């Protein structure tokens, strides 16, 4: 029985040591990768901001669709489904 306990203890020590070494290697490797990424980021030229597309003029069909959506929002607010803040937020989203 003492030989069995000694074998189990030795296995536990070896496994614990292997885990500790593996974790340390992983942390060092992540640190190196992070440092490389940071250096690449600093050396890269700044990217120009993408130009915003010009707002398109609403067509007649689009305008009537917006009006219908606003009417539906007004009805939902009148029914108490939407709060004033929710109504204003959705109205702002529809109107662009």
């Amino acid at each position: 029985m003492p030989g069995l306990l000694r074998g189990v203890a030795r296995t536990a020590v070896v496994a614990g040591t292997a885990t500790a070494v593996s974790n340390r290697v992983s942390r060092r490797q992540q640190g190196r990768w992070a440092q490389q990424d940071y250096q690449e980021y600093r050396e890269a030229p700044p990217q120009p901001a993408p130009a915003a597309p010009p707002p398109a003029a609403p067509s007649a069909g689009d305008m009537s669709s917006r009006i219908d959506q606003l009417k539906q929002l007004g009805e939902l607010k009148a029914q108490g489904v939407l709060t004033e803040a929710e109504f204003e937020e959705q109205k702002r989203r529809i109107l662009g």
Side-chain angles (χ1 to χ4, degrees):
M1 190 79 155
L4 180 62
L5 283 176
R6 186 176 303 153
V8 170
R10 183 177 301 150
T11 302
V13 168
V14 169
T17 303
T19 301
V21 169
S22 174
N23 288 341
R24 183 164 185 234
V25 168
S26 294
R27 282 193 303 271
R28 288 181 66 197
Q29 193 172 28
Q30 282 181 328
R32 287 180 184 160
W33 288 342
Q35 187 177 17
Q36 286 176 352
D37 288 345
Y38 178 72
Q39 288 174 349
E40 289 174 7
Y41 171 75
R42 289 191 59 182
E43 293 171 0
Q47 298 293 328
S59 64
D62 186 40
M63 190 57 102
S64 66
S65 171
R66 288 183 181 185
I67 291 172
D68 291 339
Q69 288 177 341
L70 289 172
K71 285 180 183 178
Q72 289 174 348
L73 276 178
E75 291 172 5
L76 289 173
K77 182 182 167 213
Q79 294 171 0
V81 176
L82 293 176
T83 64
E84 181 68 32
E86 292 170 332
F87 173 77
E88 290 298 324
E89 178 183 338
Q90 292 299 321
K91 184 172 79 169
R92 225 177 301 120
R93 186 181 59 82
I94 290 171
L95 295 176

